[in-house]
Amino acid sequence: MDALPDDRGPREKRQEDQRRRILDAAIRAFAHGGFHATGMQAVCAEAGMSPGALYRYFPSKEAIIEAIVERDRADIPAQLAPLLEAENVVDALIESAHQFLVGNLKPESLPLFPELFAEAIRNPAVRRIMTGCDEEVGEIIVRVVERGMAKGQIDPSLDAREAVRFLMAATDGVLMRLLMEPGAELEGLMPMYERSVRRFLAPVAAEAGR
């Protein structure tokens, strides 16, 4: 299939490329010094830009953080869409969690996950951004869990929304453990995670037969 034409003009494309370059530089700066301790001067230095030039694109550190989250958020529907079509819903949920963990364990992403959470706790603006992203992910996964219930693959007595909250907390917890304890490799924790998720979601009859 041929690629869709890019309707952006040269000026718009340059601006978008510059925004992307600033965000990539900001991620490197935040990864090194943390969101709270890293100021706009550090981001400017990493991007090789003057403050005046950078402020034309992002008026504050919160605006940069929001843009980073929104950039990832734009990919969420496409990333999770296959879950809504999966034949085996539980398998698909576990594989999606595995991909989430692998993505966040890449060297360039390692510090960002806990930094985002820590900043969201102390910064209402960042919490609003993170909450919006979290809710979007949660709504899609709720639909996936409800689909699994309808297919007889997930215990229908569960509250779908609370079950999803638990699954997201469990996945976040595994990631935090891996970040805190590098020796606890994903290959070791993932089978335990999968076993727990399958037992938690399994219909009562299926669980009783094990």
Side-chain angles (χ1 to χ4, degrees):
M1 180 181 295
D2 294 335
L4 294 175
D6 190 341
D7 293 330
R8 295 175 301 171
R11 182 170 180 272
E12 289 78 8
K13 189 175 187 306
R14 282 197 302 271
Q15 289 178 334
E16 184 59 33
D17 289 344
Q18 186 74 308
R19 282 176 57 88
R20 186 181 302 109
R21 189 169 75 82
I22 293 170
L23 293 182
D24 289 341
I27 288 172
R28 293 192 299 270
F30 291 146
H32 182 264
F35 286 128
H36 190 61
T38 301
M40 291 291 275
Q41 287 288 351
V43 176
C44 290
E46 185 67 36
M49 299 176 66
S50 68
L54 188 142
Y55 277 107
R56 286 203 296 269
Y57 292 90
F58 298 101
S60 66
K61 185 167 67 172
E62 284 76 13
I64 293 177
I65 296 172
E66 181 169 8
I68 291 171
V69 175
E70 288 294 340
R71 186 167 69 174
D72 291 340
R73 184 178 180 179
D75 297 330
I76 289 173
Q79 290 173 349
L80 297 182
L83 294 177
L84 294 167
E85 303 294 335
E87 183 62 31
N88 188 309
V89 173
V90 178
D91 282 353
L93 284 168
I94 291 171
E95 176 58 25
S96 178
H98 183 268
Q99 292 303 317
F100 167 80
L101 293 169
V102 168
N104 281 281
L105 288 171
K106 292 178 181 178
E108 64 271 21
S109 302
L110 278 179
L112 292 180
F113 182 83
E115 283 292 339
L116 278 170
F117 267 71
E119 189 67 12
I121 290 171
R122 58 182 167 236
N123 186 326
V126 176
R127 180 180 298 182
R128 174 184 56 78
I129 298 164
M130 290 288 291
T131 298
C133 186
D134 209 51
E135 288 176 349
E136 185 169 355
V137 172
E139 288 298 328
I140 295 174
I141 301 181
V142 165
R143 290 165 55 198
V144 174
V145 167
E146 290 174 341
R147 182 168 174 268
M149 291 175 173
K151 290 170 69 69
Q153 297 173 0
I154 293 178
D155 184 356
S157 69
L158 292 172
D159 181 302
R161 197 165 298 276
E162 293 304 323
V164 168
R165 182 174 283 115
F166 171 78
L167 290 173
M168 293 174 71
T171 308
D172 291 346
V174 169
L175 179 55
M176 289 298 293
R177 174 50 53 187
L178 291 169
L179 294 174
M180 289 289 294
E181 187 183 345
E185 297 181 355
L186 182 59
E187 290 78 7
L189 276 180
M190 196 64 201
M192 298 294 100
Y193 172 89
E194 178 175 345
R195 182 179 183 182
S196 300
V197 169
R198 289 191 185 280
R199 290 194 171 188
F200 170 63
L201 295 176
V204 175
E207 178 64 21
R210 294 189 177 187

